Every structure is written in structure tokens, then in C-alpha cells.
Amino acid sequence: MSMHRPSATLLRETAGTSDGDARTGGLPWIEDAEKIAPKDARDLSKLFFDRLRELEEGTHAHQYARNTLIEMNLSLVAFAARRFRNRADQMEDIIQVGTIGLIKAIDRFELSREVEFTTFAVPYIVGEIKRFFRDTTWAVHVPRRLQELRVELAKAKDHLAVVLDRDPTVGEIAKHLELTEEEVIEGLIASNGYNSDSLDLPADSGADNRGSTKTTSLADFVGAVDPAMELIEDFHSLAPLLATLDDRERLILELRFGQELTQAEIGERLGISQMHVSRLLSRTLTRLRAGLLVEE
């Protein structure tokens, strides 16, 4: 039986001669990231995220770091998919859309958030899976033409969301599908003809460790506390600190967290490099975090 290897050992074993190679951006070379144990994946992910924000987007090193992060954390998709095990016939689709959620989480995660990536990523993954169910369950009769259009719209939205790192506009979807904006809007309106089964509908049954019959409902799989509720007090404390920032610092925060632009897109908007945006963002978040700690 193979023993679990500590992260430090894994780093030494994977570093090899490629540690300083520009193709990896100074990161250790990992041959098969999917085989890394979850604990090692958590430790390595911190290293890769820290370096990813310093690498220029579009370079081979940036692509390597991003792809390795995806592969190392695919176990999160499998973990999130378990709660939908009652839909075994759709598991392949569930894994695919869950992976899209993982990619979105990786592209939007910042180490400065001071939360574990697993905590940050799972809501993205589960949300993408739930969206998939909303988009594939009809509640009322809809003409076949609109049903087929809805499928095309869903695929186009997911594809463009990954490419643009944000939700696409009606115009962008129309251009991608070579349709008019009116046709896209008609398809989006028709999508409102979906609905899921009753949350009280039994979804699964089995026996617990004591042999007692156990029944679950859909509510057990989709219910969750909104984590944003816990942020209200932080938002109130943050407001006066934001007022101390200059116009450019506030604009960068708005573009990154309000409009969810990438650092490269912000750099193009402001006429500065992605690295400069990264440094400004890091400095601003450090000031805000220090201010919040003083308030506490």
C-alpha cells in the first residue's frame, strides 16, 4: 500500500530539472496532476495560485499553471457531483458542467480573500450544475423550435462565459450563433418555461448504519444558506475604508470585483500592464484588510 506523501516531499519529487524552466514559470513540473492526493493538491494549489497572478496571461507558463490547477482540483467536481447521485443517467453531463464551474472559480479566485480555495470553488461548481438542471427541465409545453434554440443558447452562454470570463450579452450571443437579437431574446424568454420537481419529492432512499430506512428529498440536495448574509457587517465596515482610496484604486476594485474583469482586461482598460494591475490590486486589498482588522 502506498503511503500518503507530505507536500514538501511531493514538491521535491515533482520539481525535477524543470523548476527554473520558463515554460513552467518556475513552478514544479507535474506529470499527472489528477493523481495528486487531495491534501497535496490543496498545498500545491496555494503555490500555483500565488505564481499564476504574477504570470502574463497568454504565455505558456500561465497556461501550464492554470491547466494544472484545473486538473489538481477535479476531485472537487466529483465531490460536488455526489449530491446529485440520484441523477446517475446525467452524471457525465453533471461532471462536464461542474468542470466549467471549477474553471470559473479558478479564474476568479484571489489568495488575498484569505479563504480556502475549496470553500470558494464548491459554490461555483454546484451553481453551474444547478443551472444545468434549470436549463434541461421543462415545466410547460414549448415549441420544438424554441426547445432546440434553448439548447444552443445554453451552450453558447457557457462557452462565451468561459472565453469572456463574464456572462455574455444578448448581442454577443446573437453574433456567436449568427442569429438576430430578437431571436435570442425569444429563446431566453422561452427558457422561463422550465421548472424543477417539487422540493418535497422523494429523491433517494436507503438504510443507515443501524438498518433503519432513510428517505431524502430534493431539498436535501439544493438547499443552502446564502453565505452573503455573513458579509453584511463586513460591507458596513468596508464602506468608510473605500472612501480613503483614490479614484484609480476604487476603479480597479470595481472592474475586478464588480464587473469581474480579468487583470489583463483591466490593464487594457487603464493602459497599464497586467503585472502593474496585480501589484496595485494586491496593495489596495492589503490596505483594506489591515483597516478591517483595526476595526475589529
Side-chain angles (χ1 to χ4, degrees):
M1 178 182 296
S2 61
M3 298 297 291
H4 176 75
R5 295 171 297 175
S7 297
T9 302
L10 180 64
L11 281 173
R12 289 196 295 271
E13 292 177 358
T14 54
T17 60
S18 301
D19 190 67
D21 190 348
R23 290 173 63 82
T24 64
L27 288 166
W29 174 257
I30 299 177
E31 189 67 31
D32 193 345
E34 292 187 48
K35 292 184 178 179
I36 295 177
K39 181 181 183 302
D40 289 326
R42 287 195 297 271
D43 294 338
L44 279 171
S45 290
K46 294 177 182 179
L47 172 66
F48 273 70
F49 272 120
D50 185 55
R51 188 74 183 104
L52 180 68
R53 303 315 174 200
E54 299 174 356
L55 296 171
E56 190 73 29
E57 291 187 27
T59 62
H60 187 281
H62 186 277
Q63 182 181 5
Y64 165 72
R66 182 172 179 267
N67 289 345
T68 303
L69 279 167
I70 295 171
E71 294 172 5
M72 281 195 299
N73 289 283
L74 284 174
S75 60
L76 294 177
V77 178
F79 170 79
R82 288 182 198 143
R83 69 178 64 186
F84 304 98
R85 58 188 179 277
N86 61 306
R87 297 174 180 260
D89 58 322
Q90 296 177 285
M91 190 53 62
E92 183 177 349
D93 292 331
I94 291 172
I95 294 297
Q96 288 181 359
V97 297
T99 302
I100 292 175
L102 171 64
I103 293 172
K104 290 181 179 179
I106 287 174
D107 289 341
R108 296 172 185 176
F109 181 67
E110 300 281 353
L111 282 174
S112 57
R113 296 176 186 268
E114 295 188 342
V115 298
E116 288 288 338
F117 175 67
T118 53
T119 303
F120 179 83
V122 170
Y124 272 90
I125 297 170
V126 174
E128 204 68 30
I129 295 173
K130 290 180 179 178
R131 182 182 304 163
F132 165 73
F133 288 140
R134 287 197 301 268
D135 290 346
T136 54
T137 305
W138 293 94
V140 296
H141 174 71
V142 175
R144 177 168 294 276
R145 176 182 64 85
L146 293 180
Q147 291 186 31
E148 295 173 349
L149 176 59
R150 183 217 55 84
V151 174
E152 295 178 7
L153 288 174
K155 291 180 179 179
K157 287 172 64 177
D158 288 338
H159 171 74
L160 291 174
V162 173
V163 173
L164 301 173
D165 196 24
R166 59 173 172 79
D167 290 332
T169 64
V170 170
E172 289 168 339
I173 296 174
K175 182 178 180 180
H176 179 74
L177 295 177
E178 298 182 349
L179 299 172
T180 65
E181 292 190 10
E182 288 74 19
E183 290 174 313
V184 172
I185 292 173
E186 183 182 20
L188 292 174
I189 293 175
S191 297
N192 292 327
Y194 301 96
N195 196 9
S196 60
D197 292 331
S198 170
L199 293 178
D200 295 323
L201 184 67
D204 189 24
S205 63
D208 57 23
N209 294 333
R210 293 167 297 184
S212 301
T213 301
K214 181 178 64 175
T215 302
T216 58
S217 66
L218 290 177
D220 295 321
F221 299 100
V222 300
V225 176
D226 187 351
M229 294 298 294
E230 300 177 1
L231 300 178
I232 293 177
E233 185 176 345
D234 289 340
F235 289 156
H236 281 291
S237 300
L238 191 60
L241 298 176
L242 291 173
T244 65
L245 303 178
D246 60 36
D247 291 340
R248 184 170 70 169
E249 290 171 332
R250 285 195 295 270
L251 176 59
I252 290 176
L253 290 178
E254 163 61 23
L255 294 175
R256 183 68 185 93
F257 301 109
Q259 301 183 28
E260 296 189 337
L261 299 184
T262 64
Q263 293 180 6
E265 290 171 335
I266 295 173
E268 292 179 2
R269 182 80 64 89
L270 300 182
I272 58 180
S273 70
Q274 181 257 330
M275 289 291 292
H276 194 186
V277 172
S278 179
R279 288 193 292 268
L280 291 174
L281 188 60
S282 178
R283 184 182 66 187
T284 301
L285 293 174
T286 299
R287 285 177 52 191
L288 293 176
R289 182 165 58 252
L292 286 174
L293 292 175
V294 171
E295 288 290 330
E296 293 175 0

